[in-house]
Amino acid sequence: LARVFHEQHQTGDGVKSLCTYRDEFREWAAGRYEARPDREVRARITKCTKSEFDLLTKLALADGGNSKEPVTAQKVTTALVANILQAVASMNCVPSSIEAPAWLDDEGPWPPHELLSARNGILHVPSYIKGKPCFLPPTPRLFSTTALPYDIDLSAPKPRVWLAFLNALFGDDLESQEALRRWFGYVLLPDTSEHKILMFVGPKRSGKGTVARVLSEVIGKANVAGPTLASLSERFGLSQLIDKTLAVIADARLSGRSDAAVIAERLLAVSGEDAQSIDRKNLPPITCTLPTRFMLLTNETPRIADSSGALA
């Protein structure tokens, strides 16, 4: 039954689209491996098993004249579903040592951290800049936990409304416009080697929220987290950043009860590509490097304790 269920999750090129990764089920869809809760997989296993049992019952009824035993329907029990779930989990396990994005089989044509996954394919940005062949069809062989929720259009026109908004926002400050443009590009790719955090300081109704909403739509809302500074110091504070390429802290403020030292430590560690031990609710803890970039929106500079000056 587990093999029957697993065979139903196979792409056209023979790759199994359902796997387990760090004690979670993952399913490839729209260019990325999305987390699937156990209860959803259990429900699908139950439905598949019931269909198989119904098929066996129909076959037995069709051949009822040759059997001395009465035909009875088999029950899909909780214990049976649990056994099938365990068998399915063992059939396609991605090692926890793999950091997404990564090629699952042989080395791919390009380094995975230079790739931009989207709904209609994979774009190699350096080749695109150089005018070389740069596009691959979507494939589950690229283990990526994030992808753009729309099709990449290499012939798209310039965003005139957006550029007009930036001119209205910054005026002649071309350096700020260029910094924001670089930040958008930095958040799009899975490469975090710049070790940067963006802090957007300005009065109310100065465009901070609009910029954050546009960026969230560009990279996909499923790839964005919305933590507070205080939540970063909590036990499960880092778990909300797993698989998220951007964390927008919309109102960066700290109360006297927050541990500013722990907050500064985690901001520095995540942006600096340091491995983090992360506690997860109802799951074993993991140690990994988070792909998250922080974007702080604030009316006034928050007071975060950092005597070394590394955060600044």
Side-chain angles (χ1 to χ4, degrees), residues 219-235:
I219 67 174
K221 291 184 177 180
N223 304 320
V224 181
T228 62
L229 278 178
S231 69
L232 296 179
S233 63
E234 298 172 357
R235 177 184 175 186

Side-chain angles (χ1 to χ4, degrees), residues 161-221:
V161 176
W162 172 249
L163 295 176
F165 168 73
L166 292 184
N167 288 328
L169 190 66
F170 294 113
D172 296 332
D173 187 359
L174 299 180
E175 189 176 358
S176 292
Q177 291 193 38
E178 178 63 21
L180 189 60
R181 186 176 294 112
R182 290 172 63 88
W183 176 254
F184 269 58
Y186 182 49
V187 174
L188 271 172
L189 285 173
D191 180 13
T192 57
S193 60
E194 293 290 333
H195 300 179
K196 296 295 185 183
I197 297 174
L198 180 72
M199 184 159 65
F200 212 141
V201 184
K204 60 182 181 180
R205 302 197 61 80
S206 61
K208 302 188 301 295
T210 301
V211 171
R213 284 191 293 272
V214 171
L215 179 55
S216 297
E217 293 288 347
V218 168
I219 67 174
K221 291 184 177 180

